[in-house]
């Protein structure tokens, strides 16, 4: 867990937080976290925040610990929610209780996506961090590999530029990679078309379910693509 997020979680443990405050605490480590995702996790029985007399959700420090465990298990271990819930129950962690140290440590171990830490870089910072010239970013934008409309770049942008730099070093320049961008766009469209019917307008839990479903579909496609590529490269 990011150190600053840990400090905020500890300092706010005594007070119950609103859903907006919870998002503020956790978004440094989980930048894509949304209201709908929290509502979905609640609907699935993973968390159970206190409700005020007016019906507002209030999250305790234990709720935040539990959320961190669930989100890390999804991100770093690619566990589906059913497995996470069974794991918590097996370890005697019921709704509203704090996950024990042994349980939390499982989800906090480094996983494939844990290297994507939240970043905020300007254009020159992105180029410097990736070890490229600013002109290389222009070339990536020209071929649709990078958005030219952003003032701030994040971890995914850095990953794209770094990978493109490695490919360019062996002669595969951005103009040669257009088919990869096109393939990613088609896959994203396919996932969206399958996930969209699961999101009912005005139902935040359903929207969170659709987001989770799309993420799991994406991970499955990445796994399939990697396996197919390894298979095609076998013997070459």
């Amino acid at each position: 867990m990011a150190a600053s997020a840990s400090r905020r979680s500890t300092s706010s443990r005594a007070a119950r937080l609103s859903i907006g405050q919870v998002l503020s605490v956790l978004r440094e480590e989980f930048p894509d976290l949304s209201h709908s995702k929290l509502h979905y996790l609640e609907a699935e029985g993973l968390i159970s925040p206190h409700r005020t007399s007016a019906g507002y959700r209030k999250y305790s420090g234990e709720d935040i610990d539990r959320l961190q465990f669930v989100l890390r298990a999804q991100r770093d271990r690619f566990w589906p929610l059913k497995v996470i819930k069974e794991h918590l129950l097996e370890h005697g962690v019921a709704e509203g209780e704090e996950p024990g140290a042994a349980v939390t440590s499982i989800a906090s171990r480094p996983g494939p996506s844990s290297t994507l830490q939240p970043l905020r870089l300007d254009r020159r910072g992105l180029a410097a961090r990736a070890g490229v010239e600013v002109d290389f970013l222009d070339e990536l934008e020209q071929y649709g590999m990078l958005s030219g409309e952003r003032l701030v770049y994040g971890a995914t942008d850095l990953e794209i530029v770094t990978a493109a730099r490695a490919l360019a070093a062996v002669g595969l320049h951005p103009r040669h990679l257009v088919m990869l961008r096109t393939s990613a766009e088609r896959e994203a469209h396919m996932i969206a078309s399958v996930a969209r019917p699961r999101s009912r307008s005005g139902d935040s839990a359903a929207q969170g379910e659709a987001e989770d479903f799309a993420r799991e579909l994406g991970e499955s496609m990445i796994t399939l693509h990697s396996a197919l590529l390894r298979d095609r490269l076998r013997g070459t």
Side-chain angles (χ1 to χ4, degrees), residues 171-185:
L172 294 174
H173 298 281
R175 66 180 180 275
H176 301 128
L177 306 176
V178 173
M179 64 177 181
L180 297 180
R181 186 211 70 206
T182 302
S183 175
E185 289 172 350

Side-chain angles (χ1 to χ4, degrees), residues 64-136:
I64 294 175
D65 287 339
R66 190 178 180 91
L67 273 169
Q68 288 171 329
F69 170 74
V70 171
L71 295 170
R72 288 174 188 159
Q74 282 192 302
R75 182 194 65 191
D76 299 339
R77 291 307 189 192
F78 306 106
W79 288 0
L81 291 183
K82 180 181 178 182
V83 173
I84 296 172
K85 191 171 185 179
E86 290 175 352
H87 182 82
L88 290 172
L89 291 173
E90 287 174 4
H91 285 76
V93 184
E95 293 178 25
E97 295 180 0
E98 181 179 0
V103 178
T104 305
S105 66
I106 294 174
S108 60
R109 294 171 189 164
S113 62
S114 63
T115 56
L116 296 181
Q117 298 298 325
L119 290 175
R120 290 178 61 84
L121 301 169
D122 62 14
R123 190 174 182 80
R124 290 190 178 277
L126 175 63
R129 188 73 175 266
V132 301
E133 299 295 330
V134 173
D135 290 348
F136 188 69

Side-chain angles (χ1 to χ4, degrees), residues 22-23 26 30 33-49 57 59 63-64 66-72 74 79-82 84-85 95 204-209 211-212 215-216:
V22 170
L23 291 174
L26 296 181
F30 307 101
L33 188 60
S34 63
H35 287 76
S36 57
K37 178 61 179 270
L38 294 183
H39 292 169
Y40 172 55
L41 293 177
E42 181 181 350
E44 291 294 305
L46 273 299
I47 54 173
S48 183
R57 295 172 174 85
Y59 296 79
D63 291 326
I64 294 175
R66 190 178 180 91
L67 273 169
Q68 288 171 329
F69 170 74
V70 171
L71 295 170
R72 288 174 188 159
Q74 282 192 302
W79 288 0
L81 291 183
K82 180 181 178 182
I84 296 172
K85 191 171 185 179
E95 293 178 25
S204 59
Q207 292 170 8
E209 180 182 6
E211 292 172 9
D212 223 49
R215 183 193 62 79
E216 291 179 1

